[in-house]
Amino acid sequence: MEKPIPISAKTRIFCIIGHPITHSFSPFIHNYWFKELGLDFRYLAFHVHPDQLKQSIKGIKALNIKGFNVTIPHKETILPFIDKVDVLAQDIGAINTIKLEEAKLIGRNTDALGGKKALLDAGCKIKNKKVLILGAGGAARAISFALIEDIDYLVIANRTSERVRILVGDLIKKKNCEIKYINFDTQSLKQELGEIDILINTTPIGMFPNISKSPISKEIIHSDLFIFDLVYNPLETQLLKDAISIGCKAQGGLDMLINQGALAFEWWTNKKPNIDKIKDKLIENLMRN
Ligand code: NAP
């Protein structure tokens, strides 16, 4: 590939803000696509403490930065500083992608559609299916609102009952189908799993460095399940290993990561990035670490 265009007074900046931030793959992904498409853009990561969120948004606007991402812990707390968010992001109550348009900040949640696309592209049928989600944090909110219109039944298991109760309440306002929550323990999960078609892990359990952990015991999963683990580091989590070993169809979190980036990239630049090449590069990168 050609060298990137040298930085000059014309170079435009995009960025991600988070706390912590050094784990983020977004600079790698977007800078790869900028270089590949010969765009005079750069993407940087900024460590922004929650106390500095408001000031950082003012700064981004003042510097005329045309697009940026937010990650943990700013996805919800940024909303009061955003001028307009689309309906899906309003429902989710969180955004991860922002575009500056005519001096207004517009927010979207590309995790939601990126996750749904990853499932569909992996051959998972969603329409009228029964889904069990593990976890009730930001990623669970994004994926559950992305799927809720299509599925027939949703059960969410979470460690903290207050958080899952609020999520289920918000989902019920959106769609009047059977949606409930259960405790996050083996007995409760076992009782539900017999009926379930798609199991989605949105907890960080199994993520590097705790790679031998799985959010659910292998003994209670069955081979008719489609298992989607949002964790992408490692590429094959313990949950995915267990799923594959008993004959389930399974999908890791890498495609969702790439899809959410691609949706942001297209929105900012009106150009389609190369999904396959960046996937190979990310796999190389993740295998090295
Ligand atoms: P979050 O808002 O902090 O939510 C984390 C969820 O996991 C909460 O429901 C939390 O339960 C639960 N949890 C955490 N540790 C647990 C433990 N030891 N035992 C049981 N439950 C536990 O985080 P998030 O933004 O949703 O992200 C969650 C995971 O998804 C991360 O691994 C992240 O990397 C991944 N993710 C992947 C993508 C992708 O593109 N592939 C996108 C977004 C997120 P409590 O409510 O009880 O705390």
Side-chain angles (χ1 to χ4, degrees):
M1 204 199 305
E2 299 285 311
K3 283 189 174 167
I5 297 173
I7 291 175
S8 74
K10 291 187 198 144
T11 305
R12 273 169 46 189
I13 295 298
F14 293 77
C15 68
I16 181 164
I17 60 172
H19 166 75
I21 194 60
T22 50
H23 65 283
S24 174
F25 282 98
S26 295
F28 183 87
I29 294 172
H30 288 284
N31 285 317
Y32 182 87
W33 285 331
F34 289 156
K35 188 163 84 166
E36 195 181 45
L37 289 166
L39 297 170
D40 188 7
F41 300 163
R42 291 294 194 283
Y43 186 104
L44 298 173
F46 293 116
H47 183 199
V48 173
H49 190 273
D51 294 347
Q52 297 296 320
L53 181 62
K54 189 175 177 181
Q55 286 91 325
S56 74
I57 306 301
K58 274 190 174 174
I60 284 172
K61 243 179 146 170
L63 293 172
N64 200 24
I65 288 178
K66 295 288 185 195
F68 65 103
N69 291 118
V70 282
T71 188
I72 288 172
H74 305 313
K75 288 184 183 181
E76 294 164 38
T77 47
I78 193 174
L79 285 173
F81 313 121
I82 300 300
D83 299 298
K84 199 173 140 195
V85 297
D86 67 13
V87 176
L88 178 60
Q90 272 175 38
D91 288 340
I92 295 166
I95 55 172
N96 69 327
T97 305
I98 298 98
K99 185 175 178 180
L100 184 63
E101 269 180 350
E102 292 165 7
K104 297 260 183 272
L105 292 171
I106 319 291
R108 285 187 184 170
N109 191 312
T110 66
D111 282 337
L113 296 182
K116 182 175 179 180
K117 183 174 179 331
L119 263 180
L120 293 171
D121 289 349
C124 179
K125 303 264 185 299
I126 294 170
K127 200 93 197 144
N128 305 125
K129 295 296 181 194
K130 295 186 168 66
V131 178
L132 168 57
I133 294 181
L134 307 175
R141 289 194 79 88
I143 206 84
S144 56
F145 275 101
L147 299 184
I148 197 67
E149 292 298 345
D150 292 314
I151 62 181
D152 266 1
Y153 177 77
L154 175 62
V155 53
I156 307 178
N158 198 48
R159 183 177 59 178
T160 309
S161 59
E162 181 60 9
R163 200 172 191 186
V164 69
R165 198 181 56 73
I166 294 169
L167 173 55
V168 167
D170 290 347
L171 285 160
I172 286 171
K173 282 184 222 148
K174 190 74 189 167
K175 189 181 175 191
N176 193 13
C177 72
E178 202 177 341
I179 306 171
K180 65 177 194 176
Y181 59 91
I182 56 169
N183 290 334
F184 194 166
D185 60 56
T186 300
Q187 193 49 36
S188 312
L189 293 169
K190 191 176 173 187
Q191 270 174 19
E192 281 296 327
L193 270 171
E195 291 291 305
I196 296 295
D197 306 299
I198 305 168
L199 169 69
I200 304 176
N201 174 43
T202 74
T203 78
I205 301 170
M207 191 167 82
F208 182 84
N210 301 311
I211 59 171
S212 62
K213 298 253 187 307
S214 172
I216 189 162
S217 161
K218 183 178 173 182
E219 278 63 54
I220 62 170
I221 55 178
H222 59 81
S223 59
D224 293 336
L225 286 169
F226 189 106
I227 297 190
F228 181 25
D229 193 345
L230 265 57
V231 173
Y232 52 82
N233 186 9
L235 290 166
E236 194 171 273
T237 58
Q238 187 59 48
L239 172 60
L240 292 188
K241 284 185 183 146
D242 292 346
I244 292 162
S245 77
I246 67 158
C248 298
K249 294 198 180 87
Q251 169 77 356
L254 189 66
D255 289 73
M256 174 172 170
L257 175 75
I258 295 170
N259 292 343
Q260 62 76 29
L263 288 166
F265 188 93
E266 265 192 77
W267 189 35
W268 294 331
T269 65
N270 286 321
K271 294 192 190 302
K272 262 202 181 314
N274 187 328
I275 301 283
D276 295 332
K277 270 200 195 162
I278 194 69
K279 188 169 175 181
D280 292 345
K281 293 282 167 198
L282 282 166
I283 291 171
E284 254 175 49
N285 201 301
L286 284 161
M287 303 277 262
R288 244 198 329 264
N289 295 333

